[in-house]
Amino acid sequence: MSDTFLDQVERIYQQDSRYKPESYEFVMQALFFTQKQLNRKGHVSAQELLDGIKEFALEQFGPMSHTVLEHWGIKSTDDLGNIVFNMVQNGLLRKTEDDNLEDFKGVYDLKREFDRGYRRNLEKQIKGKVK
């Protein structure tokens, strides 16, 4: 009997409890979201994934994006890289020779980007209703 995704995530969590199991599910869903946005089934770069994570979080959690991710242990893009590479090390994701944990280091400030993104989305919604 093969392990489910959640079984594998639980095993990762037992090895590295910095990030709650929900964070792994979120990153996987954000990966699928990003692939769909890029109209691509395969590999995405760290930058593409981080941009997708930002969009996906705002779509899912709106102004609570930073709070939700922080609750799961995600405080920086570095943390997102650690989650991705934990999944790589445990066979849930694959990487290319060019992929590196350093690609996730300090890419953007989560709180600032979520605040900015939420305000931008809100302005678009308001302008759309005013017309």
Side-chain angles (χ1 to χ4, degrees):
M1 185 165 149
S2 64
D3 288 341
T4 67
F5 174 79
L6 295 177
D7 291 334
Q8 292 173 302
V9 166
E10 188 58 40
R11 205 168 21 262
I12 294 170
Y13 181 68
Q14 289 174 7
Q15 297 166 3
D16 183 353
S17 61
R18 292 178 293 174
Y19 313 109
K20 292 190 178 186
E22 294 88 347
S23 66
Y24 293 91
E25 184 177 350
F26 169 78
V27 169
M28 190 63 84
Q29 289 176 343
L31 172 62
F32 297 145
F33 172 87
T34 303
Q35 289 171 321
K36 185 176 179 182
Q37 294 291 102
L38 297 172
N39 198 24
R40 188 182 313 156
K41 290 186 184 204
H43 181 267
V44 299
S45 70
Q47 183 64 55
E48 290 169 330
L49 179 58
L50 289 171
D51 289 343
I53 285 171
K54 192 181 347 176
E55 281 185 57
F56 185 67
L58 286 167
E59 186 177 286
Q60 296 296 305
F61 310 118
M64 295 297 295
S65 295
H66 182 257
T67 302
V68 171
L69 269 61
E70 195 170 64
H71 174 71
W72 292 337
I74 302 170
K75 298 176 180 80
S76 68
T77 59
D78 300 30
D79 293 319
L80 291 163
N82 290 333
I83 290 167
V84 166
F85 275 80
N86 280 348
M87 288 196 285
V88 167
Q89 290 170 352
N90 285 274
L92 291 171
L93 294 176
R94 284 181 285 196
K95 70 178 200 77
T96 67
E97 286 184 19
D98 296 331
D99 294 326
N100 191 311
L101 184 58
E102 294 297 313
D103 297 338
F104 290 88
K105 298 282 184 202
V107 175
Y108 57 75
D109 178 277
L110 293 178
K111 180 164 178 35
R112 183 177 38 213
E113 288 299 314
F114 287 138
D115 287 349
R116 214 181 280 164
Y118 176 71
R119 278 191 236 110
R120 210 172 19 249
N121 290 348
L122 185 59
E123 287 173 12
K124 284 180 191 174
Q125 289 176 351
I126 290 170
K127 285 180 183 177
K129 290 182 179 181
V130 171
K131 291 183 178 181

